[in-house]
């Protein structure tokens, strides 16, 4: 997943990183800015990762510097010398907390050249190393991943866990159970095979295919969230959730760059209908059920307030202003 460094995305970093298990991170600085400032920025994000990853396996870290111009051989050598010294110093500072690789990567973001190719190769090699070191997963997990790849669009960008399991994951999981002579109907599947469902969802989450906040992980990581209900939701489009929901929509009022539209101004309540318009993309429009599932999830995370639900009002019309966001 791609996390921006802008302040409006900080909330997504805290929320997402605490549920990362085996991870590879790339901390990116800019080569065209003051070196002292960028050094402090890198240190900030490394310390941030240390805080978020407490109690998790030590993550693998690459430090990269991006640029948008053609650099001379002398400029490249100078940047590499500075990067080598910086990485070694940071490696000592964060020893036993982060696994920082001993060379800084240079990335030309203006064009696809050798620097980007080298970065992709190095990152792929490290991700494969981490993947191979993971405990072996049951074959059924790979069957589940294939089923999700072909049918995740059936349940939208965000949905209830039960909806995903019964409409997408039920068939491959039941096929595996049938090999042992076990036949389970859909209406009892969630209750009878909760452990198998949990393994499948954890696997898809760890692969970055979806986002599922495991209830047991929540109890260990934080007391800020409603651990009994957040695990009822599954995000099937993680990048959309990070960029649009946790980034643009929940950004502080007046902060940041262009967003779909302002959803909160001076503490105003907004309607479900307005939020649905806000979240539509160039390719598709989210259904009312998807937007409602997203809002219910944000409410459980303490990131949204539903005035109607809290007051037990009978008004549930889509155009009634009811949702309040921080900002």
């Amino acid at each position: 997943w791609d996390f921006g460094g802008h302040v409006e995305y900080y909330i997504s970093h805290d929320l997402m990183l605490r549920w990362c298990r085996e991870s590879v991170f790339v901390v990116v600085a800019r080569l065209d800015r003051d070196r002292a400032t960028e050094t402090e920025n890198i240190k900030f994000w490394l310390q941030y990762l240390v805080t978020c990853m407490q109690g998790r396996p030590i993550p693998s870290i690459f430090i990269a510097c991006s640029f948008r111009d053609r650099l001379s051989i002398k400029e490249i050598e100078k940047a590499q010398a500075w990067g080598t010294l910086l990485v070694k110093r940071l490696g000592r500072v964060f020893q036993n907390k982060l696994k920082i690789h001993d060379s800084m990567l240079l990335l030309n973001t203006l064009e696809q050249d050798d620097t980007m190719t080298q970065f992709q190769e190095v990152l792929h090699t490290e991700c494969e190393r981490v993947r191979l070191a993971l405990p072996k997963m049951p074959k059924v997990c790979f069957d589940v991943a294939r089923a999700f790849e072909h049918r995740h669009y059936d349940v939208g960008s965000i949905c209830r866990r039960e909806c995903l399991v019964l409409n997408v994951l039920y068939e491959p999981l039941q096929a595996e159970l049938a090999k042992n002579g076990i036949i389970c109907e859909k209406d009892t599947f969630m209750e009878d095979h909760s452990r198998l469902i949990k393994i499948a969802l954890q696997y898809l989450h760890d692969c970055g295919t979806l986002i599922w906040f495991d209830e047991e992980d929540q109890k260990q990581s934080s007391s800020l969230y409603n651990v009994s209900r957040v695990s009822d939701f599954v995000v099937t489009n993680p990048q959309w959730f990070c960029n649009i929901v946790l980034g643009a929509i929940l950004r502080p009022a007046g902060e940041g760059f262009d967003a779909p539209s302002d959803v909160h101004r001076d503490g105003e309540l907004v309607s479900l209908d307005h939020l649905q318009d806000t979240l539509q993309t160039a390719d598709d429009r989210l259904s009312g059920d998807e937007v409602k599932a997203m809002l219910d999830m944000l409410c459980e995370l303490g990131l949204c307030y539903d005035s109607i639900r809290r007051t037990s009002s009978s008004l549930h019309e889509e155009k009634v202003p009811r949702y309040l966001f921080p900002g």
Side-chain angles (χ1 to χ4, degrees):
W1 302 326
D2 179 14
F3 294 101
H6 308 279
V7 66
E8 58 267 25
Y9 289 107
Y10 283 15
I11 191 170
S12 67
H13 302 346
D14 179 71
L15 186 62
M16 302 294 293
L17 296 183
R18 292 181 188 277
W19 279 273
C20 291
R21 278 175 274 269
E22 302 288 346
S23 309
V24 179
F25 294 100
V26 181
V27 178
V28 183
R30 287 183 57 171
L31 201 58
D32 59 345
R33 291 179 176 173
D34 178 68
R35 298 281 170 84
T37 300
E38 289 304 281
T39 298
E40 290 304 310
N41 288 339
I42 292 172
K43 290 167 65 176
F44 167 82
W45 287 113
L46 293 178
Q47 186 57 56
Y48 194 99
L49 288 173
V50 170
T51 302
C52 288
M53 300 301 290
Q54 288 182 358
R56 305 291 188 189
I58 295 177
S60 181
I61 310 292
F62 288 97
I63 297 177
C65 270
S66 64
F67 59 94
R68 293 175 56 84
D69 298 300
R70 295 183 182 276
L71 296 182
S72 67
I73 295 177
K74 185 176 180 179
E75 289 174 319
I76 292 177
E77 290 176 347
K78 187 176 180 180
Q80 288 175 333
W82 167 74
T84 298
L85 291 175
L86 176 62
V87 169
K88 287 182 178 179
R89 185 166 74 249
L90 293 174
R92 292 192 295 269
V93 172
F94 292 95
Q95 188 176 11
N96 300 324
K97 297 178 181 178
L98 301 172
K99 180 188 175 184
I100 300 177
H101 290 260
D102 57 5
S103 61
M104 177 178 284
L105 302 172
L106 298 181
L107 305 177
N108 185 349
T109 59
L110 193 62
E111 58 184 40
Q112 183 79 18
D113 62 4
D114 292 342
T115 63
M116 191 63 70
T117 301
Q118 180 187 12
F119 167 70
Q120 292 170 343
E121 291 175 351
V122 170
L123 194 60
H124 174 74
T125 300
E126 181 62 14
C127 289
E128 282 298 295
R129 185 197 66 79
V130 171
R131 185 184 65 82
L132 293 174
L134 293 172
K136 298 298 182 182
M137 297 301 296
K139 180 180 179 298
V140 66
C141 288
F142 297 98
D143 296 335
V144 164
R146 283 195 295 270
F148 180 87
E149 180 182 352
H150 294 299
R151 296 196 56 197
H152 67 87
Y153 52 82
D154 290 346
V155 294
S157 297
I158 184 169
C159 63
R160 296 276 178 174
R161 176 179 52 173
E162 182 175 3
C163 176
L164 176 73
V165 171
L166 297 183
N167 290 289
V168 179
L169 308 187
Y170 170 75
E171 290 184 8
L173 292 177
Q174 176 54 53
E176 182 67 19
L177 292 170
K179 295 177 182 178
N180 298 315
I182 302 173
I183 304 298
C184 185
E185 299 298 329
K186 275 191 175 184
D187 56 354
T188 60
F189 186 73
M190 292 290 295
E191 181 178 354
D192 293 346
H193 299 287
S194 58
R195 183 175 179 276
L196 181 60
I197 292 170
K198 179 177 179 178
I199 290 173
L201 289 174
Q202 281 181 332
Y203 174 77
L204 293 174
H205 175 91
D206 290 344
C207 291
T209 304
L210 54 74
I211 300 171
W212 178 60
F213 300 114
D214 179 25
E215 183 174 340
E216 293 302 317
D217 273 0
Q218 293 175 57
K219 291 177 180 178
Q220 297 172 13
S221 301
S222 174
S223 60
L224 296 176
Y225 312 124
N226 188 335
V227 298
S228 64
R229 298 188 62 180
V230 178
S231 58
D232 287 342
F233 300 93
V234 179
V235 178
T236 62
N237 189 340
Q239 200 62 63
W240 164 82
F241 188 69
C242 293
N243 289 354
I244 301 300
V245 178
L246 295 181
I249 287 184
L250 293 180
R251 62 178 171 76
E255 291 283 342
F257 44 88
D258 293 339
S261 70
D262 287 330
V263 297
H264 56 83
R265 295 184 300 275
D266 301 325
E268 291 182 3
L269 293 174
V270 295
S271 67
L272 178 64
D273 186 67
H274 177 68
L275 286 165
Q276 189 172 354
D277 289 337
T278 298
L279 288 167
Q280 67 180 338
T281 66
D283 300 322
D284 197 8
R285 175 183 170 89
L286 295 179
S287 68
D289 289 341
E290 288 178 272
V291 177
K292 186 62 172 62
M294 179 203 74
L295 292 168
D296 288 343
M297 181 178 180
L298 293 179
C299 285
E300 301 304 339
L301 290 169
L303 301 176
C304 176
Y305 178 78
D306 183 350
S307 62
I308 290 181
R309 183 173 66 167
R310 301 301 180 187
T311 58
S312 300
S313 170
S314 60
L315 295 175
H316 290 282
E317 297 178 8
E318 292 187 355
K319 296 184 180 297
V320 176
R322 55 186 289 188
Y323 297 102
L324 180 66
F325 292 89

